[in-house]
Amino acid sequence: MPAIDYDLEFLENGKTIELISIGMVCDDGREYYAVSSDMPVDHILNHQWLKANVWPHLPLRGYKPAPQINALQQSDGSLDMTDTRVKPKWVIANEVREFIQAAGPDIELWANYGAYDHVALAQLWGRMIDLPEGVPMFTHDIQQEARRLGIGWNDLPKQESGEHNALADARHNQTVRRWLAQQGWRGAS
Ligand SMILES: [Mg+2]
């Protein structure tokens, strides 16, 4: 079954999940990456973990991370609105719908610890009932597949670089999913 591996970066507060960025890779070789121009930048910069781990990967202008020689030169910068990957959420919703539909009717979605990713993905289009034709109603989880095969997380392929960049994470999810599939075949034979 062909698959799309994906990853979202998001801000969540226990009540809402707000899209920051999305990366998707399809078994047919296509890739998609977008950053939401609608993201709540102030809240993200007030979130220490997101500010340190997610923000630096986004298309930014004037970003000068600490420590600089002169701490006064430190700047969070701002989203680079001239970067074509930065788009309003409604445009991302249309493009992601097309990306998934172009993969064919039997496409599987896969993510890592993907419950929140699936909800945030589905909410691109609004309510559960608004999910477009051809977009699967659930996401397979590579964590579940690893457990099913009795493989511990430390035994899986490690991500070389770009952790918490949504596209780099999606590519790594594809690597891990394919590796798990090979282990599954080995176990079955
Ligand atoms: Mg990620």
Side-chain angles (χ1 to χ4, degrees):
M1 199 82 93
I4 290 173
D5 297 273
Y6 73 100
D7 183 61
L8 271 63
E9 302 301 330
F10 49 77
L11 171 72
E12 65 95 11
N13 59 9
K15 291 192 172 125
T16 58
I17 311 173
E18 302 214 53
L19 177 69
I20 296 175
S21 59
I22 178 169
M24 308 186 107
V25 297
C26 184
D27 277 342
D28 62 18
R30 292 175 303 127
E31 293 192 336
Y32 180 78
Y33 178 69
V35 174
S36 174
S37 56
D38 297 321
M39 76 174 76
V41 169
D42 292 352
H43 290 168
I44 290 162
L45 290 176
N46 278 325
H47 188 295
Q48 288 306 313
W49 190 90
L50 290 174
K51 183 178 170 178
N53 295 290
V54 173
W55 180 255
H57 293 298
L58 302 176
L60 302 177
R61 305 178 92 153
Y63 176 62
K64 297 193 190 76
Q68 298 280 319
I69 297 168
N70 178 352
L72 291 174
Q73 292 174 346
Q74 191 275 332
S75 171
D76 296 330
S78 58
L79 263 191
D80 184 354
M81 302 300 275
T82 69
D83 191 298
T84 55
R85 297 169 298 177
V86 181
K87 303 165 186 190
K89 202 171 143 185
W90 68 267
V91 173
I92 297 174
N94 286 340
E95 292 179 347
V96 168
R97 187 195 65 230
E98 283 209 335
F99 185 90
I100 294 173
Q101 288 174 340
D106 297 322
I107 194 70
E108 290 182 353
L109 296 177
W110 282 78
N112 183 31
Y113 293 113
Y116 282 62
D117 297 81
H118 182 85
V119 172
L121 176 78
Q123 286 187 337
L124 282 174
W125 302 287
R127 301 166 303 165
M128 196 175 183
I129 199 171
D130 299 320
L131 202 69
E133 185 83 27
V135 177
M137 292 185 72
F138 73 101
T139 293
H140 297 257
D141 201 311
I142 57 181
Q143 291 290 332
Q144 183 171 6
E145 183 65 358
R147 297 291 191 290
R148 191 179 74 82
L149 295 169
I151 296 169
W153 191 247
N154 290 334
D155 299 322
L156 296 177
K158 297 284 178 295
Q159 188 161 353
E160 300 293 338
S161 65
E163 205 166 349
H164 307 307
N165 170 301
L167 183 57
D169 289 357
R171 287 173 181 154
H172 181 66
N173 288 348
Q174 184 185 62
T175 300
V176 174
R177 175 181 57 81
R178 288 177 171 176
W179 185 88
L180 284 169
Q182 284 175 356
Q183 309 312 305
W185 291 327
R186 235 166 253 165
S189 61

